[in-house]
């Protein structure tokens, strides 16, 4: 069971993108808009309520921390899921990674 605070995350069934649950918007792609839960039982109930098999796959609770008012993933897996491929930059050149470089980076994990 994850430590609180937690957020609800899944993958969008159509696009494959990582999505986060927001009480105001529903499933959306920005971690900064995710609903934060401090009560695990409330969070688990929200997983059941919002498991939409026609829209998302694999909903689960992920630990986070709040750093200067921002939601920060609490585990390296979530950090990796939170980085969109279009934001990945080469650590050598600072240039966007090519598809080949991204495949090499993923295989390294």
């Amino acid at each position: 069971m994850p430590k609180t605070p937690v957020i609800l995350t899944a993958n969008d069934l159509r696009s494959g993108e990582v999505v986060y649950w927001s009480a105001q918007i529903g499933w959306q792609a920005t971690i900064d808009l995710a609903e934060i839960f401090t009560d695990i039982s409330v969070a688990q109930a929200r997983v059941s309520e919002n498991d939409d098999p026609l829209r998302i796959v694999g909903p689960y609770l992920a630990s986070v921390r709040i750093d200067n008012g921002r939601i920060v993933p609490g585990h390296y897996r979530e950090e990796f899921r939170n980085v969109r491929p279009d934001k990945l930059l080469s650590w050598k050149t600072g240039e966007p990674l090519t598809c080949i470089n991204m495949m090499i980076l993923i295989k390294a994990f």
Side-chain angles (χ1 to χ4, degrees), residues 9 11 60 73-82:
T9 185
N11 286 87
Y60 66 94
H75 190 273
Y76 72 88
R77 178 179 190 266
E78 298 310 318
E79 287 181 27
F80 190 76
R81 288 181 78 234
N82 187 45

Side-chain angles (χ1 to χ4, degrees), residues 1 5 11 19 29 31 35 38 56 69 97-98 100-101 104-105:
M1 184 162 309
N11 286 87
V19 291
I31 194 171
E35 182 176 2
T38 56
I56 57 141
L97 287 174
T98 64
I100 301 282
N101 289 337
I104 292 168
L105 178 65

Side-chain angles (χ1 to χ4, degrees), residues 20-41:
Y20 305 94
W21 177 256
S22 166
Q24 295 80 22
I25 305 169
W27 292 108
Q28 48 79 37
T30 307
I31 194 171
D32 294 327
L33 301 176
E35 182 176 2
I36 300 169
F37 300 94
T38 56
D39 183 331
I40 242 1
S41 60

Side-chain angles (χ1 to χ4, degrees), residues 57-73:
V57 63
Y60 66 94
L61 299 174
S63 296
V64 294
R65 64 183 192 283
I66 309 303
D67 188 14
N68 292 325
R70 298 205 56 195
I71 300 172
V72 179

